[in-house]
Amino acid sequence: MSIAICALASVLLGMCIAVRPASAQQPSTMSASPPTFATIGFHDVVDAKSELDDDAVTADRLVGFFDWLRGNGWTAVSLDDIARAGRGERALPAKAILITFDDGYRSLYTRVYPLALAYGFPIVAALVTDWMGPSSGSMVRYGSRMVPRERFISWDQAREMQRSGLVEFALHTQALHGEVVGNPQGNTMPAAVTRSYAAGVGYESEADFVATVRIDLASGRATLLRELRRAPRALVWPYGRYNATGTRVARDLGFEFALVLDEGPSSLGQPFRMARYLPTYNPPLLDLVRNLQPDPNERRVDRLVCLDPEALWTGDEATNNERLGHAIERVRALGVTGIVVDAVRRNAQGQITAAWFPTHELPLAGDWLSRIAWQMHTRAGVKVYARLPHRAALEVVGDEARVRRLYDDLGALVPLDGWVLEDTQVPTLPHFDGPPPLFVHRPGIPLSWSAWVVRERRQSMLPALGQGDGFDALGWRAFAALDAARPGLELVWLAPTRATTAAHPLADISLAPAGFGDPIADSRIAPVDPTLTRWFTGAEPPDAQVLARKAMDFERHGGVSLGWCPDDPVADLPGAAVVAPAVSASVFPVRH
């Protein structure tokens, strides 16, 4: 084993990973990763296409799916099967699927239950107890509107289904399947993961938020126990949104499983983060089937552009919103998939002077980041990656505990999809002894770059990465703080040099810098791993024609993902009309 490599890893990462000299490497061996299974989350089932909403499927589509499962060797499993497999008592079948239905629609009794009986398929059904309580003929608040109580099953129907032994009921919260105001601008966000905001009062405290979640889950659990004579062992988080706080509360209350909407397969090793595929828009059978076993090597296409909140901030709310609206429309016109947004204000020397979110650790430039992130999510349909450099944060706050609190505040108050790790001391990890978790490595096939494989690899190593002293360990601790508040957060690594030709093995996206003024040939690196993104940077926004030529040349030579910084959304620089045909993800690959 190379002592030098081990020493480097120990100093920079606070850990040592077993490596072998290249000349003596043998096939990797390691203990088997926890078995995985597919999980699918349906909602309403309707008879006619005219009755469909975003999450519903037609009855004939569901019957076709059940037929396909039976005819292709799949086994529908119950929570009992998963619990026994988790205890090592009995292995799951090779093609195991957990079938769930959320919200307790009337169709659960009239359409799904008869099919479960006919096929012998066990079902997990998640109920919102507040929707079950009102008497017949009354109205129930469903999201932002009122609907008849009869849209949902009755307790008598639930008891009948439970007696069949095929339907097990889970809690979908008591009253958290809705939204609360999450910032001063009035954006409404999922209640189960959002600290609410009230004018004149401010943000809900962390203690009050924890109490809200605890009271809701305890009350919903008690209601199901009273009505069905059985306490639910599974919790299904509304909208698939969850965080470390809610997970701790669920564990404390006695839940054994929690179902979310993360990408990828469910794992016996993660009972409180059981990933599910959510069918939307009544997908054809081919899509339903493909998503049961998604390709772990599917190439992702990223188009990123940076955004400085300072460019949109005037101090006047109406003007702020007008500029934000223009920025959103420009992002849509460009066809980008994500924005890299500054979480803090920095001076010409790069020093942090204020934050764009409320925190006790820095002055407030404006409570603006949450608004930008949510509007970009909901109106532009893009991911939002925060840029908050931990080394610069340490310089200004002077204490690692305060840096951690800064990231705690960012995660708690801003709906993010990822964080940019920028540090000159983050190394590419040496070879680690064995394939990443949840990945079966076959000779001759490269390691997967899929989102869930990267996530599991990172989660398995994160405790060790955050140990020890030094800026790098602090960076991993900062990411861990954000990921606790926003599980499933993507990590974007900003490489320190333009010579970077390999992606970071723990990053979802690696940004490889390139200059706008560099020769076009310098942008021709065709990464084998498409998580490596060419990141064009300069002192001013690029010329639209130059950027378009560089993008097309990059793609022509095999490049996949790219982005640029700076960008001026107010002045429309670079011009969206010129750049979009070359960079838009919606037209990738470009036809030359």
Side-chain angles (χ1 to χ4, degrees), residues 167-188:
V167 181
E168 178 170 342
F169 289 96
L171 179 64
H172 208 21
T173 72
Q174 174 173 273
L176 292 179
H177 197 300
E179 298 180 328
V180 295
V181 175
N183 57 34
Q185 294 82 16
N187 288 119
T188 56

Side-chain angles (χ1 to χ4, degrees), residues 448-468:
S448 171
W449 51 62
S450 71
W452 68 89
V453 170
V454 171
R455 180 188 66 207
E456 293 301 324
R457 179 191 302 155
R458 186 168 57 231
Q459 287 297 323
S460 70
M461 301 176 68
L462 198 54
L465 292 168
Q467 296 302 311

Side-chain angles (χ1 to χ4, degrees), residues 251-459:
R251 287 182 186 272
D252 291 345
L253 292 175
F255 287 95
E256 300 175 41
F257 306 100
L259 285 76
V260 299
L261 292 176
D262 286 350
E263 180 184 359
S266 297
S267 169
L268 289 180
Q270 297 285 353
F272 278 85
R273 199 183 69 199
M274 293 169 62
R276 292 191 299 166
Y277 160 51
L278 171 65
T280 55
Y281 303 104
N282 195 35
L285 180 60
L286 179 62
D287 287 350
L288 287 170
V289 169
R290 182 185 297 118
N291 279 281
L292 290 188
Q293 295 179 306
D295 181 5
N297 293 319
E298 183 177 359
R299 295 162 69 90
R300 61 181 291 164
V301 177
D302 291 302
R303 291 290 181 273
L304 306 177
V305 62
C306 67
L307 175 63
D308 184 355
E310 191 82 58
L312 309 179
W313 179 260
T314 65
D316 175 72
E317 184 174 357
T319 307
N320 291 347
N321 285 326
E322 181 181 3
R323 289 189 173 188
L324 177 57
H326 288 315
I328 290 169
E329 292 306 314
R330 184 169 184 275
V331 163
R332 295 176 64 179
L334 287 169
V336 302
T337 60
I339 61 169
V340 176
V341 59
D342 289 308
V344 290
R345 174 186 279 165
R346 289 196 272 182
N347 61 22
Q349 291 72 43
Q351 297 171 320
I352 295 174
T353 60
W356 294 108
F357 61 96
T359 175
H360 293 298
E361 309 307 324
L362 292 170
L364 182 65
D367 192 349
W368 186 222
L369 188 60
S370 173
R371 172 71 167 179
I372 291 174
W374 192 252
Q375 293 294 94
M376 284 290 179
H377 275 302
T378 56
R379 289 181 54 193
V382 300
K383 293 184 177 181
V384 178
Y385 304 101
R387 191 173 184 181
L388 172 53
H390 59 284
R391 295 183 68 181
L394 182 60
E395 289 177 4
V396 69
V397 302
D399 179 82
E400 289 198 9
R402 294 186 63 190
V403 173
R404 170 62 189 255
R405 289 195 294 270
L406 179 65
Y407 284 89
D408 285 339
D409 291 337
L410 175 62
L413 298 177
V414 182
L416 299 173
D417 295 289
W419 175 61
V420 179
L421 172 63
E422 44 188 316
D423 199 319
T424 58
Q425 299 184 42
V426 177
T428 297
L429 295 179
H431 172 77
F432 45 97
D433 195 16
L438 292 187
F439 180 68
V440 179
H441 187 222
R442 298 177 177 85
I445 300 178
L447 290 180
S448 171
W449 51 62
S450 71
W452 68 89
V453 170
V454 171
R455 180 188 66 207
E456 293 301 324
R457 179 191 302 155
R458 186 168 57 231
Q459 287 297 323

Side-chain angles (χ1 to χ4, degrees), residues 51 67 106 114 192 220 360 426 497 540 579:
E51 303 173 82
D67 272 343
R106 182 177 56 209
H360 293 298
V426 177
T497 173
E540 301 291 338
V579 174

